[in-house]
Amino acid sequence: MTSSPQPPHEPHPNHDRGLEFDLSTLMSRRSLGMFLGAGTAAALAACTPGASPESATSTAGTAGTAAATAGPTAAASTPTASPTLTRAIAECGVEIPEETAGPYPGDGSNGPNVLAASGVVRQDITTSFGTSGTRADGVPLTVTLTLLDNANGCTPLAGAAVYAWHCDKDGKYSMYDAGLRNENYLRGVQEADANGQVTFRTVFPGAYSGRWPHIHFEVFESMDNATAAGQVLAVSQIALTDAACKDVYASAGYEASARNFPRTTLKSDNVFRDDGGIHQLATMAGSVSGGYTAGLNVTV
């Protein structure tokens, strides 16, 4: 459990300080060998110089179109790839950069473990489950990840599982921040369908000082592995787009984010700055009134 959380407009004292910090402080569940074995290739990819911030949006946007457009309607029982998924496979090849899980993962590696709780497998993560039904407020956001198996020609990673979590509109994390330790909203697990896709319905996360707006996720080999908090195949983060953030943070309820957002860029963010988030920048569409969609191809 961390020290007393900071107000939303201040950076979390230990948040997202990198893999080195995680390896030294968050290994109560996973051994160092397991963690490095699962993520070495992706970590090397993260160290490779990327394109410019301007080209990042274009490149990541093209690669992520399949995930954004396929949506939650992909049929788990139908293995036939859609045209958008076929294009995602054709453009696949770079493994998702390995990133920090931060000090608030809720996966048992640093305090509480939501993965062992009944109810964590769900598509809608806007509410707490168990002893609380509190709903997180915010602009609706639907996130679709397309998991691709790099070792097998970037075929869909059907049957894998994803645990996703992020802060609320005030930049606070359930299970950790003051007043939220009995809440578990904005956390959930989904199993990839035959097209390797998982979808979460959530709310647009806020911006806090020191970080670009993002969503954390862990990829597991199977649902059983995920709910047992087993070995992780990949740990990374989704970067949200500048245009979507500006629109959302200009709306009611995101006043703190409107102040914090201009203070950090993709190039100054301590997670995405090595390559400007080129391989983690989601493809996004939508509006404040109608909600947003975000999609990303995740090659592991």
Side-chain angles (χ1 to χ4, degrees):
M1 201 61 78
T2 61
S3 59
S4 179
Q6 301 296 306
H9 60 282
E10 296 293 339
H12 290 286
N14 295 324
H15 191 35
D16 295 354
R17 288 169 52 184
L19 283 172
E20 222 178 314
F21 177 77
D22 281 358
L23 291 176
S24 62
T25 61
L26 305 183
M27 289 295 106
S28 61
R29 171 166 61 82
R30 307 183 189 98
S31 69
L32 180 61
M34 290 172 65
F35 187 90
L36 289 179
T40 300
L44 289 174
C47 296
T48 303
S52 66
E54 290 78 14
S55 64
T57 301
S58 174
T59 305
T62 301
T65 301
T69 57
T73 59
S77 60
T78 306
T80 303
S82 65
T84 51
L85 180 59
T86 301
R87 191 173 76 185
I89 294 171
E91 295 171 349
C92 175
V94 179
E95 293 190 356
I96 192 77
E98 191 80 6
E99 304 290 8
T100 174
Y104 309 120
D107 62 359
S109 62
N110 186 34
N113 184 6
V114 75
L115 297 180
S118 175
V120 71
V121 180
R122 59 203 186 129
Q123 189 174 78
D124 188 337
I125 63 173
T126 56
T127 61
S128 288
F129 61 91
T131 59
S132 173
T134 302
R135 178 176 293 276
D137 295 327
V139 172
L141 173 65
T142 299
V143 180
T144 299
L145 301 180
T146 301
L147 308 181
L148 302 171
D149 186 354
N150 198 42
N152 290 292
C154 286
T155 54
L157 202 58
V162 172
Y163 165 46
W165 73 97
H166 62 83
C167 69
D168 63 17
K169 65 181 178 60
D170 297 317
K172 295 183 178 181
Y173 285 82
S174 67
M175 304 180 73
Y176 291 91
D177 274 300
L180 299 180
R181 288 170 188 157
N182 293 322
E183 304 293 347
N184 51 29
Y185 55 59
L186 308 183
R187 300 177 184 274
V189 173
Q190 277 284 290
E191 183 178 28
D193 64 16
N195 289 326
Q197 293 182 319
V198 296
T199 296
F200 295 94
R201 292 194 301 273
T202 185
V203 296
F204 208 100
Y208 50 87
S209 184
R211 282 306 319 274
W212 183 267
H214 61 282
I215 296 172
H216 293 268
F217 66 93
E218 295 177 338
V219 181
F220 295 85
E221 185 176 26
S222 66
M223 182 68 82
D224 287 344
N225 240 0
T227 53
Q231 185 174 352
V232 180
L233 296 179
V235 183
S236 197
Q237 299 181 26
I238 306 167
L240 305 181
T241 63
D242 178 79
C245 290
K246 285 178 177 175
D247 286 346
V248 172
Y249 298 156
S251 65
Y254 284 92
E255 289 78 11
S257 294
R259 294 190 297 270
N260 291 326
F261 180 62
R263 301 174 183 172
T264 306
T265 66
L266 277 167
K267 278 297 188 182
S268 67
D269 181 82
N270 62 4
V271 169
F272 301 125
R273 65 187 174 193
D274 56 346
D275 60 5
I278 187 172
H279 301 300
Q280 295 150 283
L281 190 62
T283 294
M284 300 192 68
S287 65
V288 171
S289 60
Y292 281 84
T293 61
L296 184 70
N297 293 335
V298 178
T299 304
V300 296

